[in-house]
Amino acid sequence: MTTQELIRTAFAAREKAYAPYSRFTVGAALEAKDGRVFTGCNIENASFGPTICAERTAVAKAVSEGHTDFVRIAIWGEGKDYCMPCGACRQMLYEFAPDLTLLVAGQDHSFVKLTLRELLPHGFGPKSLSQSE
């Protein structure tokens, strides 16, 4: 899938968002190493705490279908600036793909390309739990 196709897939996923409180819709398209793409959108909740972001929705869908090896994610948000993943999403993505490439799109469909390590340089992941002898 091309970069532009992945961004368009994230844009289409955004249209399914459930955001009646913030009205800030976000879509994500997560590409697994085998080329399969998993989409996600943000899903709000009246009590706010159980709200889930688009990125974590895509990860949950992928993992529940047996995929844990990811290479890219495209994210498109409703705001005027680029919609960077929140801290919880960065941590969730880092669990599976510390070297993930992010394509974060803006309103005009332009995008910035960066790595997860740039956003979370000292991430805590599975290797952090290694027991020393």
Side-chain angles (χ1 to χ4, degrees), residues 16-40:
K16 296 177 182 168
Y18 178 76
Y21 309 107
S22 71
R23 307 240 190 290
F24 188 87
T25 58
V26 180
L30 178 64
E31 183 178 19
K33 190 174 185 176
D34 69 0
R36 187 153 175 209
V37 174
F38 298 89
T39 60

Side-chain angles (χ1 to χ4, degrees), residues 4-21:
Q4 288 300 324
E5 289 171 332
L6 195 63
I7 291 169
R8 281 194 297 273
T9 301
F11 179 80
R14 179 206 54 85
E15 294 174 356
K16 296 177 182 168
Y18 178 76
Y21 309 107

Side-chain angles (χ1 to χ4, degrees), residues 23-107:
R23 307 240 190 290
F24 188 87
T25 58
V26 180
L30 178 64
E31 183 178 19
K33 190 174 185 176
D34 69 0
R36 187 153 175 209
V37 174
F38 298 89
T39 60
C41 61
N42 55 319
I43 305 166
E44 294 181 346
N45 186 277
S47 67
F48 297 111
T51 294
I52 185 170
C53 299
E55 300 91 305
R56 285 182 282 146
T57 299
V59 169
K61 288 171 67 176
V63 171
S64 70
E65 294 187 28
H67 293 267
T68 58
D69 196 3
F70 310 118
V71 293
R72 294 189 302 173
I73 187 169
I75 305 162
W76 196 96
E78 196 69 36
K80 292 180 182 180
D81 201 0
Y82 296 109
C83 183
M84 296 293 171
C86 73
C89 288
R90 293 175 193 198
Q91 184 61 49
M92 179 66 84
L93 292 166
Y94 194 91
E95 176 76 13
F96 300 102
D99 296 311
L100 187 70
T101 297
L102 289 86
L103 307 167
V104 185
Q107 284 288 335

